[in-house]
């Protein structure tokens, strides 16, 4: 018996070494943690339960029968984050470059099946050279199996991908179908075809970092939702995000203790909006002053900065925030911001996370580049996302809400539950000057008369009261009381029930 136990421990030690100490040292020399070290950082201490530690590939071609490693390049299992169950797979770059084989894929699919069955998130720590070339179509089939699981799990359990090394070719499409993607600066990259192929096909000379590094995907492509300086920071931030999310689409997000007064007044908000309607201000200030303890987990902070998306807590409960940012493009909606916000709204709706919308939007960004790029269809994505959402929706208009953009931003007409406005709100088809020049085109030669007409239009529409008279605004509130009013609104909506007509699925304008 003792010999058998010793054999088990010897095998375990061998499996824990992955590709061997030399390769582990090489991983550390690049400033990267090993697959198992990453799991230790991500999960609560001593909570990890591993599956398939001794699984090995079955390939015998190209001398692969002599290159077998227990675990086959991926560590899989489950554990807890702040006491709540999550499933995790962590690719081991020290084993054949973390390449994906048929058995490697089977291990990932196995925990994804278990996660769906047991209603817990899946976190993938990606660090792989791609499909294992020696296995050919078996490896490609493995990727397709993982893709299918990603699709089935979408909207059922949260899926989070952390890119902690290379992720190229077909490998990128699994993270692309997950809910959130985070990258590590200077050590991770994602692309469909690498720099060498790009140079051969298009004659473009580009580095791996410029082609698919963290900066590219957080500022230009919107593929990634955030980037961090090292493995430790990335994993700690993933813990923070998971702590805000529900475990699955049938459970609510966790309620955490909070140490903030629900009725806290913020007198500074009374002067947040400048007297000059064309002067910008930072919407981050409002978001943080509404949130419990000022905590805001922002999603895609470096992309489409004219709109903010992310999570806060109100009375300890998670709320998704979408807010126009007047500091960038005057807060206009455009292609990028519409796509960014629409995807976020749909995530919140899929997982029963209430949505708070803070509105200061002068309209959609004009121009040929926007029209040629399909701003009509992309703008419709956000409209569609808000209109189909059945979760509690509370909207606060702080200043401008013009034209179709007023409708799109969670208006009462899109089944907004509570629609508040500050006294500084302006709800109209367009700004006073533009409106006057159209209505009184025949009087454009008389500046005095036009000035008077503009003043009359401002008095009539540059306020929230016409919309309030129609019932499109539920209440005009004092800015300083916004946290209290919003908290009470969400509290009253905790038992909200609303469903859409039966359908197999909708056909959102993609």
């Amino acid at each position: 018996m003792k010999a058998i136990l010793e054999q088990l421990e010897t095998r375990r030690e061998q499996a824990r070494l992955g590709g061997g100490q030399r390769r582990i040292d090489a991983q550390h020399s690049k400033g990267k943690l090993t697959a198992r070290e990453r799991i230790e950082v991500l999960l609560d201490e001593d909570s990890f339960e591993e599956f398939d530690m001794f699984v090995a590939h079955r390939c015998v071609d190209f001398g692969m029968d002599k290159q077998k490693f227990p675990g086959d390049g991926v560590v899989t299992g489950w554990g807890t984050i702040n006491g709540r169950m999550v499933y995790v797979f962590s690719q081991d770059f020290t084993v054949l470059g973390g390449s994906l084989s048929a058995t490697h894929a089977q291990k990932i699919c196995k925990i994804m099946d278990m996660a769906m069955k047991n209603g817990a998130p899946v976190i993938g720590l990606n660090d792989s050279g791609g499909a294992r070339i020696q296995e050919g179509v078996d490896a490609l089939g493995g990727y397709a199996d993982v893709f299918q699981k990603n699709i089935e799990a979408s909207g059922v359990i949260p899926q989070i991908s952390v890119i902690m090394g290379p992720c190229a070719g077909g490998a990128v499409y699994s993270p692309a179908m997950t809910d959130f993607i985070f990258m590590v600066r200077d050590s991770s990259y994602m692309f469909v075809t690498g720099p060498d192929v790009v140079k051969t096909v298009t004659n473009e000379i580009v580095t791996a970092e410029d082609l698919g590094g963290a900066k590219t995907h957080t500022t230009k492509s919107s593929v990634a939702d955030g980037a961090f300086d090292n493995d430790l920071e990335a994993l700690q931030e993933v813990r923070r995000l998971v702590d805000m999310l529900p475990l699955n689409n049938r459970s609510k997000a966790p309620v955490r203790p909070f140490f903030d007064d629900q009725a806290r007044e913020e007198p500074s908000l009374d002067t947040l909006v400048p007297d000059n309607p064309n002067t910008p201000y930072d919407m981050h200030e409002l978001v943080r002053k509404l949130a419990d303890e000022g905590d805001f987990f922002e999603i895609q902070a470096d992309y489409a900065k004219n709109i903010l998306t992310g999570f806060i807590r109100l009375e300890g409960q998670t709320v998704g925030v979408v807010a126009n940012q007047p500091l960038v493009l005057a807060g206009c909606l455009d292609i990028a911001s519409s796509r960014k916000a629409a995807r976020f709204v749909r995530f919140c709706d899929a997982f029963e996370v209430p949505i708070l919308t803070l509105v200061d939007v002068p309209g959609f960004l004009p121009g040929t580049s926007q029209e040629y790029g399909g701003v009509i269809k992309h703008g419709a994505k956000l409209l569609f996302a808000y209109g189909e959402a059945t979760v509690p929706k509370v909207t606060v208009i702080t200043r401008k809400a013009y034209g179709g953009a007023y409708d799109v931003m969670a208006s009462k007409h899109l089944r907004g539950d509570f629609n508040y406005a500050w006294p500084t709100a302006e709800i109209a088809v367009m700004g006073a000057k533009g409106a006057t020049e159209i209505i009184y085109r025949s009087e454009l030669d008389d500046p005095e008369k036009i000035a008077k007409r503009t003043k009359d239009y401002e008095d009539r529409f540059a306020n929230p009261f016409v919309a309030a008279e129609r019932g499109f605004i539920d209440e005009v509130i004092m800015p300083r009381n916004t946290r209290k009013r919003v908290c009470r609104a969400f509290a009253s909506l905790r038992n909200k029930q609303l469903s859409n007509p039966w359908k197999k699925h909708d056909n959102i304008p993609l």
Side-chain angles (χ1 to χ4, degrees), residues 287-308:
V287 174
R288 295 191 188 281
K289 285 181 176 175
L290 296 183
D292 289 352
E293 288 91 38
D295 185 26
F296 178 37
F297 190 100
E298 191 167 356
I299 300 294
Q300 291 202 338
D302 297 321
Y303 178 75
K305 293 185 177 183
N306 44 326
I307 205 159
L308 310 180

Side-chain angles (χ1 to χ4, degrees), residues 179-484:
D179 299 303
F180 300 101
I181 300 175
F182 298 104
M183 298 183 73
V184 180
R185 295 186 184 98
D186 302 323
S187 66
S188 68
Y189 53 81
M190 299 175 74
F191 38 63
V192 176
T193 53
D196 294 340
V197 176
V198 170
K199 182 181 179 184
T200 301
V201 175
T202 70
N203 279 329
E204 292 177 278
I205 298 174
V206 63
T207 64
E209 184 64 30
D210 287 341
L211 183 62
K215 185 175 181 182
T216 296
H217 287 312
T218 54
T219 62
K220 295 177 182 177
S221 72
S222 84
V223 166
D225 296 287
F228 306 103
D229 288 334
N230 53 59
D231 286 9
L232 281 170
E233 185 184 351
L235 295 166
Q236 288 298 326
E237 287 300 298
V238 170
R239 282 181 61 91
R240 187 172 155 228
L241 173 61
V242 170
D243 203 37
M244 286 188 152
L245 303 181
L247 293 177
N248 56 65
N249 62 356
R250 293 178 181 272
S251 67
K252 300 282 189 180
V255 180
R256 295 301 187 201
F258 65 101
F259 307 94
D260 205 341
D261 183 3
Q262 169 258 342
R264 166 170 52 81
E265 287 192 359
E266 282 288 348
S268 62
L269 294 182
D270 290 346
T271 54
L272 177 65
V273 175
D275 292 335
N276 185 335
N278 296 319
T279 302
Y281 60 94
D282 190 355
M283 191 63 86
H284 280 105
E285 184 178 344
L286 175 56
V287 174
R288 295 191 188 281
K289 285 181 176 175
L290 296 183
D292 289 352
E293 288 91 38
D295 185 26
F296 178 37
F297 190 100
E298 191 167 356
I299 300 294
Q300 291 202 338
D302 297 321
Y303 178 75
K305 293 185 177 183
N306 44 326
I307 205 159
L308 310 180
T309 55
F311 299 103
I312 63 172
R313 284 197 178 93
L314 294 173
E315 296 188 276
Q317 300 202 330
T318 301
V319 172
V321 175
V322 178
N324 304 115
Q325 172 58 292
L327 281 180
V328 182
L329 295 175
C332 275
L333 288 172
D334 61 354
I335 291 170
S337 62
S338 296
R339 286 178 49 239
K340 168 182 169 178
R343 178 160 171 78
F344 182 77
V345 167
R346 296 194 99 210
F347 173 85
C348 291
D349 189 49
F351 291 99
E352 289 296 321
V353 176
I355 301 168
L356 170 64
T357 307
L358 305 174
V359 183
D360 186 351
V361 61
F364 281 89
L365 187 66
T368 54
S369 65
Q370 288 292 307
E371 296 294 351
Y372 297 167
V375 68
I376 296 170
K377 211 154 200 180
H378 292 292
K381 291 176 183 175
L382 183 53
L383 173 64
F384 197 110
Y386 268 125
E388 73 170 346
T390 59
V391 294
K393 293 182 284 192
V394 176
T395 303
V396 181
I397 301 174
T398 61
R399 187 165 62 177
K400 297 173 183 174
Y402 290 165
Y406 153 71
D407 289 324
V408 169
M409 293 297 294
S411 63
K412 180 63 74 177
H413 323 280
L414 298 182
R415 303 190 299 188
D417 295 298
F418 282 75
N419 290 73
Y420 291 134
W422 285 3
T424 46
E426 305 173 17
I427 304 166
V429 175
M430 62 175 64
K433 188 171 185 297
T436 305
E437 288 175 354
I438 291 172
I439 297 170
Y440 301 105
R441 189 175 292 133
S442 61
E443 299 177 8
L444 287 176
D445 294 336
D446 190 337
E448 280 188 23
K449 195 175 279 189
I450 284 293
K452 184 180 183 304
R453 298 287 195 191
T454 302
K455 178 71 167 61
D456 291 343
Y457 190 92
E458 285 175 350
D459 292 342
R460 175 66 177 140
F461 289 110
N463 62 67
F465 298 108
V466 175
E469 288 168 11
R470 303 289 193 278
F472 301 154
I473 295 296
D474 295 304
E475 183 69 274
V476 180
I477 62 173
M478 290 293 289
R480 67 172 60 207
N481 293 328
T482 304
R483 174 176 160 84
K484 174 184 175 182

Side-chain angles (χ1 to χ4, degrees), residues 44 79-85 239 256:
D44 297 339
T80 60
I81 290 179
N82 290 329
R84 301 165 74 232
M85 177 188 271
R239 282 181 61 91
R256 295 301 187 201

Side-chain angles (χ1 to χ4, degrees), residues 22-34:
R22 183 174 60 81
R23 290 195 176 112
I24 290 173
D25 292 341
Q27 185 87 339
H28 287 161
S29 69
K30 298 173 188 170
K32 296 161 67 175
L33 300 177
T34 65

Side-chain angles (χ1 to χ4, degrees), residues 92-114:
D92 188 348
F93 196 76
T94 70
V95 176
L96 302 171
S99 57
L100 184 134
S101 66
T103 48
H104 182 127
Q106 285 168 11
K107 288 180 66 173
I108 295 173
C109 291
K110 179 176 176 177
I111 66 153
M112 292 186 74
D113 281 335
M114 296 183 77

Side-chain angles (χ1 to χ4, degrees), residues 130-141:
R132 194 168 297 167
I133 297 170
Q134 294 91 333
E135 291 204 14
V137 73
D138 283 342
L140 297 181

